[in-house]
Amino acid sequence: MNPELPPETEAGQQTWSQRFESALHPAIARFNASISFDLELIEHDLTGSQAHARMLAHTGILSREEGEQLVQGLERIRQEYREGFFRPGVEAEDVHFAVERRLTELVGDVGKKLHTARSRNDQVGTDTRLYLRDQIRRIQSQLRQFQLILLDLSDRHVETLIPGYTHLQRAQPISLAHHLLAYFEMAQRDWERLSEIYHRVNISPLGCGALAGTTFPINRRLTADILGFEQVYSNSLDGVSDRDFAIEFLTAASLIMVHLSRLSEEVILWSSQEFGFVTLTDSCATGSSIMPQKKNPDVPELVRGKTGRVFGHLQAMLVLMKGLPLAYNKDLQEDKEALFDAVRTVQTCLEAMTILFSEGLAFRTDRLAEAVDEDFSNATDVADYLAARGVPFREAYNLVGRVVRTCLAAGKLLKDLTLEEWQALHPQFASDIYAAIAPRQVVSARNSYGGTGFEQVRQALQEARKRIKD
Ligand code: ARG
């Protein structure tokens, strides 16, 4: 029997090490294994192991030739994987064992030296961080795409008016671009949040060993440099058991989903017959299997729906961590499916929403123009009119409240009152009241910084383009 390999039972099944006499129960082996999902990490595992092998050679822990053989062997596994030949099964337990085994098949006994001065605990932490770093960058570039689409759409709709709501009651008309730019801002914060989190993801646990460091003269700074980590964990226990970075990412992912979900909810409302503010184009809407007249907003509904599972992953991760004693515990294997699914969900939702907003919906400007002209959303402007002429705002406010009530009873809108009626209400009203309460004027007059006035919105659009260029 080869003393370096875990012994086999009579049935030829492998045991863990020579400490064990018999193999795992097959159901327990399946239960224990993470290969079905952690294969997602393989490219990062190979990269991490190559850095480790280089460091082992550089520090003289292994010879130069040995280091080179390991690096080459790992590169061959990468090729095999990319070409679809390397597909380890449950017998490998996890991606780390799968790679080490294949490496030993490829390069012989030197493959068994790869794991010198390392543990799967610091290894898996390294892989997960390398993975997340990549995915954060991808999500950030998707956020940028989405922002650009919002800007293009806003460019075309600075002067398109849409009712603005509070309490989902018509409040004041606004520029449609102003409404869309609110989502640009949310996406901008999402992008910035990811940049900040990135620094805390980008710390190397490699070299923390199982929990306590290693007896070998390793060089942690070297592996960190090769892998592009900004820092190394300064406490080995913390390094192998910290998952704060995953929780922070899931928080950021949850907020992205909150924003996408709110926008989705608006599209769903807008596309209803009751609102009728947008029509969904055929490329992004679906029909009903029974009601031939229907066109359904499946895309925003799915985004709204998928939001829940990302929140769920955040919650799961928080609960996973709260009771764990130091350092590594197998519970931590559960971090991966939460992360992977959250990453995939955010990415597919961002992609779908970007397509939806670039070609999936058309604003019904006729309906929007009607909508802002048929309500009392210019009532504040009547009060502002008086207040600007010296009437205390609260007094003006009360007076306009009475006017609205009378109008409602008479089935009229504010614009329907005659000049005599206006002047009977207050001597300050003059014929320019009609211009002052026309929807376009109402919007354009809100020219305070950050407001919906067209000038402000154009300014905001320019600023927004500049901000995402830098
Ligand atoms: N598959 C394991 C995980 O994902 C790798 C680390 C295993 N470490 C251990 N001590 N059992 O967490």
Side-chain angles (χ1 to χ4, degrees):
M1 190 171 67
N2 184 339
E4 289 166 40
L5 271 181
E8 289 181 2
T9 63
E10 272 168 32
Q13 295 157 307
Q14 236 170 33
T15 63
W16 251 96
S17 72
Q18 299 191 14
R19 181 187 196 280
F20 293 78
E21 274 171 21
S22 58
L24 274 177
H25 186 291
I28 296 301
R30 280 194 301 277
F31 182 68
N32 197 43
S34 51
I35 190 74
S36 63
F37 51 86
D38 69 12
L39 199 58
E40 174 116 25
L41 294 174
I42 185 163
E43 297 255 357
H44 304 293
D45 194 73
L46 293 166
T47 306
S49 286
Q50 285 176 322
H52 180 66
R54 287 210 172 90
M55 184 278 293
L56 291 178
H58 186 88
T59 50
I61 298 169
L62 297 187
S63 74
R64 270 169 157 282
E65 299 74 59
E66 286 172 327
E68 199 46 43
Q69 276 177 284
L70 292 175
V71 171
Q72 297 303 330
L74 290 162
E75 201 51 34
R76 272 186 62 191
I77 299 177
R78 194 189 300 278
Q79 240 126 52
E80 288 181 352
Y81 174 74
R82 288 187 181 170
E83 286 161 11
F85 300 125
F86 183 56
R87 290 290 179 266
V90 69
E91 72 291 341
E93 185 181 326
D94 63 20
V95 64
H96 323 294
F97 275 145
V99 166
E100 191 179 328
R101 246 191 227 188
R102 181 68 190 137
L103 183 66
T104 306
E105 281 168 18
L106 287 173
V107 303
D109 277 356
V110 65
K112 297 178 200 162
K113 294 191 171 184
L114 174 67
H115 213 51
T116 313
R118 185 177 72 171
S119 150
R120 279 185 305 157
N121 299 349
D122 54 344
Q123 185 179 1
V124 72
T126 305
D127 295 2
T128 311
R129 285 165 179 83
L130 291 175
Y131 160 86
L132 198 55
R133 255 176 25 181
D134 268 16
Q135 302 302 333
I136 286 177
R137 288 303 187 220
R138 268 184 222 185
I139 293 171
Q140 285 190 298
S141 93
Q142 285 189 300
L143 280 167
R144 279 289 183 254
Q145 282 307 311
F146 179 58
Q147 287 181 301
L148 282 171
I149 293 298
L150 289 179
L151 290 184
D152 289 346
L153 201 55
S154 301
D155 271 334
R156 283 183 269 139
H157 289 294
V158 172
E159 301 207 10
T160 304
L161 307 187
I162 184 171
Y165 296 82
T166 65
H167 314 268
L168 200 59
Q169 308 286 331
R170 295 259 179 106
Q172 290 167 350
I174 52 175
S175 150
L176 174 54
H178 193 54
H179 195 115
L180 297 171
L181 287 175
Y183 287 98
F184 171 93
E185 295 292 334
M186 297 178 220
Q188 181 62 16
R189 286 195 296 277
D190 290 333
W191 189 93
E192 287 169 12
R193 207 174 344 266
L194 287 175
S195 289
E196 288 152 20
I197 287 170
Y198 189 90
H199 298 293
R200 280 183 298 277
V201 174
N202 202 17
I203 304 174
S204 174
L206 194 55
C208 289
L211 75 162
T214 171
T215 54
F216 291 93
I218 58 169
N219 182 340
R220 291 188 58 202
R221 193 56 256 180
L222 179 59
T223 46
D225 284 343
I226 296 172
L227 296 171
F229 284 113
E230 293 163 60
Q231 297 178 57
V232 299
Y233 274 89
S234 42
N235 180 296
S236 62
L237 293 169
D238 183 40
V240 289
S241 63
D242 169 33
R243 293 296 182 274
D244 292 1
F245 73 95
I247 293 175
E248 280 194 68
F249 169 77
L250 290 170
T251 308
S254 294
L255 280 170
I256 294 173
M257 294 306 296
V258 168
H259 299 149
L260 294 183
S261 186
R262 291 183 74 180
L263 182 54
S264 294
E265 172 63 16
E266 303 218 74
V267 174
I268 294 162
L269 287 173
W270 290 344
S271 67
S272 70
Q273 208 171 327
E274 286 68 16
F275 278 76
F277 293 170
V278 298
T279 340
L280 300 168
T281 58
D282 292 357
S283 70
C284 287
T286 47
S288 149
S289 63
I290 173 172
M291 298 167 284
Q293 85 284 11
K294 291 206 64 180
K295 208 170 190 188
N296 294 330
D298 287 30
V299 172
E301 287 176 305
L302 272 174
V303 170
R304 188 178 60 183
K306 286 175 188 292
T307 299
R309 55 201 265 189
V310 177
F311 295 177
H313 294 316
L314 170 61
Q315 182 67 11
M317 200 63 209
L318 286 166
V319 176
L320 177 70
M321 294 307 293
K322 76 177 271 288
L324 290 189
L326 290 178
Y328 179 88
N329 299 269
K330 186 78 171 201
D331 314 45
L332 291 177
Q333 179 165 287
E334 290 287 311
D335 64 353
K336 282 166 227 36
E337 286 163 293
L339 267 185
F340 297 166
D341 187 71
V343 162
R344 259 192 303 272
T345 304
V346 167
Q347 288 173 348
T348 52
C349 288
L350 272 169
E351 183 187 26
M353 288 296 272
T354 303
I355 295 170
L356 182 68
F357 275 79
S358 61
E359 58 170 76
L361 47 86
F363 282 94
R364 294 185 54 190
T365 43
D366 54 327
R367 281 281 307 142
L368 289 169
E370 257 169 55
V372 293
D373 208 27
E374 66 187 17
D375 59 22
F376 289 91
S377 59
N378 49 3
T380 317
D381 298 80
V382 179
D384 284 354
Y385 179 98
L386 288 179
R389 284 159 184 75
V391 182
F393 179 79
R394 185 57 62 215
E395 212 173 283
Y397 166 93
N398 286 328
L399 181 134
V400 180
R402 282 199 302 279
V403 180
V404 169
R405 201 172 71 192
T406 339
C407 282
L408 280 171
K412 284 186 190 175
L413 291 169
L414 291 169
K415 65 176 178 187
D416 300 328
L417 296 177
T418 66
L419 188 56
E420 294 76 63
E421 286 174 307
W422 280 116
Q423 284 173 338
L425 289 161
H426 201 287
Q428 286 286 0
F429 283 119
S431 61
D432 59 353
I433 180 65
Y434 296 102
I437 63 170
R440 279 190 56 81
Q441 175 56 23
V442 162
V443 175
S444 123
R446 291 202 158 66
N447 203 26
S448 53
Y449 178 78
T452 192
F454 302 131
E455 218 175 286
Q456 288 300 323
V457 173
R458 286 211 179 81
Q459 192 73 32
L461 256 165
Q462 254 180 30
E463 289 294 319
R465 287 212 189 267
K466 240 193 273 159
R467 269 153 72 200
I468 60 173
K469 243 184 227 143
D470 305 339

